[in-house]
Amino acid sequence: MKNRFKTLFKIVLVFIIICSCSEGNKKKDIKKIWLIGDSTMANYALEEDYLSKRFPVTGWGQVFQHFFVQDSLPLVANIIPADSIIVENRARGGRSTRTFFQEGRWRFVYENIQPGDLVLIQFGHNDAAENKPERHVNIQGYKEFLRLFVSQTRQKKGVPVLLTPVARNYPWIDGRLVNVHGDYPEAVKEVANEMNVKFIDLNQLSMEHFSRVGREYVTEHYFMNLPEGKYEAYPNGQKDNTHFQPEGAMAVAQLVFNGLKKLQ
């Protein structure tokens, strides 16, 4: 009996070791979330001497990786099931859909998309800039470039997600922030419906959130409205109601993460 017990114990021990080794050798499922867009999404920390020359300006994509820790991954498993998620932020300031494509920035993303990766697409601020012809893209051209990004993402078996442009801190009417992007948010919706694309209405979500928080707080804490002498990079202060301070970037990133959780 004693020998039989020893034999059984050895068998169980070997089984445990084999299972442990198999689990340890199991290849992790690592996926990426590619971000393509403009300055409101960009990662300024990649710039040389960021702290002394640009801080506190922060794109929402710059802080997006913080949301993808192990505890939060199950919350987005509906749209990107993975053991680990890496955010690849390729957004760049001043870019419209057209210039992002013309400069070869999209080509890099396209060539590196792997099956199951997400591609979050947020343009509009620069496309709508009629006073800057080097950036401006009319509505029809804007929609064509969005269609291109969507179709080519699908060619690589990635999952495209269209986002309307995030709100600016104007205009405010009767205590509420309203749309400043003209017909561009609607154009995104139309492409999303036409091509059956995952969609997050970041323009509407951010307008609603900023309105709840209130104009005074958002102006001072979310956007780049800075007093004189507080930051090395802006000794004379700053008035900017388009780009974000860290708190604003985190708030917008949270809206996007919440949007991903709701996608089917």
Side-chain angles (χ1 to χ4, degrees):
M1 177 67 73
K2 193 172 182 180
N3 289 335
R4 286 179 60 188
F5 177 80
K6 286 182 178 180
T7 301
L8 181 61
F9 177 78
K10 288 179 182 179
I11 292 172
V12 172
L13 185 60
V14 169
F15 178 75
I16 292 173
I17 292 172
I18 291 173
C19 289
S20 299
C21 290
S22 298
E23 186 66 26
N25 292 330
K26 183 182 177 182
K27 187 176 180 180
K28 281 195 171 184
D29 184 13
I30 300 173
K31 290 190 174 72
K32 290 186 177 182
I33 297 179
W34 296 89
L35 305 182
I36 66 169
D38 54 41
S39 57
T40 60
M41 180 194 266
N43 186 355
Y44 295 89
L46 298 177
E47 297 182 13
E48 186 176 358
D49 299 324
Y50 165 64
L51 292 177
S52 62
K53 292 183 178 179
R54 298 302 301 274
F55 183 80
V57 66
T58 309
W60 68 259
Q62 185 173 330
V63 297
F64 203 43
Q65 183 70 65
H66 300 309
F67 289 84
F68 298 96
V69 296
Q70 286 300 314
D71 290 347
S72 67
L73 295 185
L75 301 177
V76 291
N78 52 310
I79 185 69
I80 182 168
D83 298 321
S84 181
I85 293 175
I86 298 171
V87 174
E88 282 277 1
N89 189 353
R90 293 289 161 171
R92 191 65 177 253
R95 271 57 181 185
S96 61
T97 51
R98 173 175 55 80
T99 58
F100 194 88
F101 178 80
Q102 289 176 331
E103 293 173 359
R105 298 180 186 281
W106 170 245
R107 180 177 180 177
F108 177 87
V109 176
Y110 171 73
E111 290 178 346
N112 288 280
I113 295 171
Q114 298 298 313
D117 285 354
L118 288 190
V119 180
L120 272 56
I121 305 161
Q122 182 221 267
F123 290 94
H125 280 78
N126 297 297
D127 298 77
E130 294 183 10
N131 62 331
K132 296 179 179 178
E134 71 279 7
R135 303 179 181 182
H136 176 58
V137 183
N138 64 27
I139 290 291
Q140 291 308 313
Y142 179 63
K143 292 170 75 172
E144 280 301 310
F145 279 109
L146 293 179
R147 291 183 184 110
L148 173 70
F149 297 147
V150 167
S151 61
Q152 292 198 338
T153 296
R154 286 173 167 170
Q155 284 176 14
K156 300 298 291 287
K157 302 189 185 305
V159 180
V161 181
L162 286 172
L163 283 68
T164 52
V166 65
R168 286 187 164 103
N169 189 32
Y170 60 87
W172 287 81
I173 298 177
D174 297 329
R176 295 194 63 80
L177 191 59
V178 298
N179 177 42
V180 73
H181 299 299
D183 295 330
Y184 285 82
E186 187 61 31
V188 183
K189 295 178 189 178
E190 290 172 1
V191 173
N193 289 331
E194 168 196 328
M195 301 186 73
N196 193 26
V197 185
K198 312 293 184 186
F199 171 73
I200 297 174
D201 194 351
L202 185 56
N203 184 48
Q204 187 64 36
L205 291 171
S206 55
M207 286 191 298
E208 292 174 354
H209 176 73
F210 297 164
S211 296
R212 283 194 301 271
V213 174
R215 182 175 185 174
E216 183 177 349
Y217 190 91
V218 164
T219 300
E220 183 177 348
H221 296 278
Y222 279 18
F223 287 88
M224 285 285 290
N225 296 294
L226 312 174
E228 293 184 15
K230 184 173 181 179
Y231 296 101
E232 182 181 356
Y234 306 91
N236 299 319
Q238 174 91 343
K239 290 190 179 299
D240 178 350
N241 286 295
T242 295
H243 302 98
F244 302 111
Q245 296 185 55
E247 186 174 349
M250 285 294 293
V252 175
Q254 181 70 68
L255 294 176
V256 177
F257 183 76
N258 291 345
L260 289 180
K261 289 193 293 184
K262 296 177 182 178
L263 295 179
Q264 298 300 317

